Amino acid sequence: MSIRPVIAGFRRPYTSMSFPILDFLAPCLAQAQRTVPSRCRPITTSSASPETEPKPNTLKEPTASKRRKPLSAEQRAFLDSALRVNQAGELAATLIYTAQTPPIVHKHPHLRPLMKHMYDQEAGHFTTFNELLAKHRIRPTAMYPVWKFAATALGWMTGMVGREAAMACTEAVETEIGGHYNGQVRVLLQWMKEMEDRGEEVGEEVKELVQTLKRIRDEELEHLDEAVGQDAKLAGGYAVLNAVIRGGCRGAIWVSEKV
């Protein structure tokens, strides 16, 4: 099932925009056009193992010639909301690392390669979702200015506190984001399985989106493992810090779905 035709058919007029790739420690972000938000179903979050994911045959096999059925309004709304939230989340991640890096590498120069590696991956994710939003004419969240300020403040504060606090921040954020992506992957795989069972064709764009989300999810969970390995759980007030950051992430996801 091709995403592009079914999404483009119900979008409001959209003004194209360009988001420059972030240079390390020098983000340059374009302001997005704001439109009236659409209603959509809340995005599923899941911490279940990938081993329990639905496994449609067409994910790895060529699609035979079958009939196509347009996505439902609920499915279109889910994709709209999912891609908008993902782009906002990756914006926040790049800004957190940008703010954390100077104080962290000043005190711990050996962490510069790790911080740059994680930043570079997040910047790549951000670029991917920028392109998907532009391609499918999906508006970004209207909360851009708020998320930019909040992410920068969070990164700066945890970076100034120290290495353990910065890594605890990464662990908390990636725990929520990893589960968020995992939930999206499971929803799309279930769609594909249901299409197969009905004898319908699964378009290449849907399969590519699933593979993209799985790759990004795995890279986010890699960051989580790196943070734990860098003593995230030894941060002062770890339990409170973890709970506050994870709660903030869930709140930001909920708001970005709708605004």
Side-chain angles (χ1 to χ4, degrees):
M1 174 72 57
S2 174
I3 299 175
R4 188 173 185 177
V6 295
I7 292 185
F10 80 101
R11 294 283 170 253
R12 301 177 180 88
Y14 177 89
T15 301
S16 62
M17 59 190 175
S18 174
F19 290 84
I21 298 176
L22 301 181
D23 293 326
F24 187 50
L25 299 183
C28 180
L29 304 174
Q31 291 295 327
Q33 284 279 50
R34 308 292 193 253
T35 59
V36 178
S38 59
R39 298 180 61 189
C40 57
R41 181 182 67 167
I43 296 177
T44 304
T45 296
S46 174
S47 59
S49 168
E51 296 300 320
T52 66
E53 292 172 350
K55 293 179 171 54
N57 295 325
T58 53
L59 189 61
K60 295 184 178 180
E61 298 176 1
T63 303
S65 178
K66 298 179 181 179
R67 61 189 177 90
R68 289 191 180 189
K69 182 180 178 181
L71 295 179
S72 68
E74 182 182 21
Q75 289 172 326
R76 295 196 301 270
F78 177 87
L79 288 173
D80 181 294
S81 181
L83 294 177
R84 179 170 61 252
V85 171
N86 294 352
Q87 190 249 14
E90 298 302 341
L91 164 71
T94 59
L95 293 176
I96 289 172
Y97 285 126
T98 296
Q100 283 180 340
T101 296
I104 293 301
V105 302
H106 177 72
K107 296 179 182 178
H108 307 279
H110 67 285
L111 291 180
R112 181 181 292 275
L114 174 60
M115 298 298 290
K116 186 176 188 304
H117 169 70
M118 293 192 294
Y119 172 90
D120 287 345
Q121 286 191 322
E122 300 293 2
H125 303 167
F126 184 49
T127 298
T128 295
F129 289 117
N130 286 340
E131 293 170 350
L132 285 170
L133 260 62
K135 179 179 182 181
H136 299 301
R137 298 177 178 270
I138 299 172
R139 65 167 181 82
T141 176
M143 298 296 290
Y144 242 66
V146 177
W147 300 156
K148 287 170 64 177
F149 172 80
T152 300
L154 177 61
W156 183 82
M157 288 189 292
T158 54
M160 291 299 294
V161 171
R163 175 177 64 93
E164 294 86 354
M167 294 301 166
C169 174
T170 295
E171 181 199 1
V173 170
E174 301 298 15
T175 298
E176 291 299 321
I177 298 305
H180 177 71
Y181 283 131
N182 202 40
Q184 292 181 8
V185 168
R186 294 176 71 85
V187 169
L188 294 179
L189 289 177
Q190 185 61 42
W191 289 1
M192 293 172 66
K193 185 68 168 61
E194 292 170 357
M195 291 176 190
E196 286 181 1
D197 293 344
R198 295 193 298 263
E200 298 168 0
E201 179 180 354
V202 178
E204 288 300 318
E205 284 188 310
V206 172
K207 291 188 283 186
E208 289 174 6
L209 179 58
V210 170
Q211 297 293 5
T212 295
L213 291 176
K214 291 177 76 171
R215 172 182 60 80
I216 292 176
R217 174 198 64 189
D218 292 346
E219 290 175 356
E220 302 290 2
L221 295 178
E222 173 195 324
H223 299 173
L224 189 158
D225 291 340
E226 293 282 4
V228 172
Q230 291 293 331
D231 299 329
K233 296 185 184 297
L234 299 182
Y238 168 79
V240 174
L241 184 63
N242 181 272
V244 169
I245 294 175
R246 291 185 62 178
C249 289
R250 291 192 293 270
I253 289 170
W254 183 84
V255 171
S256 295
E257 289 176 18
K258 298 166 176 57
V259 180

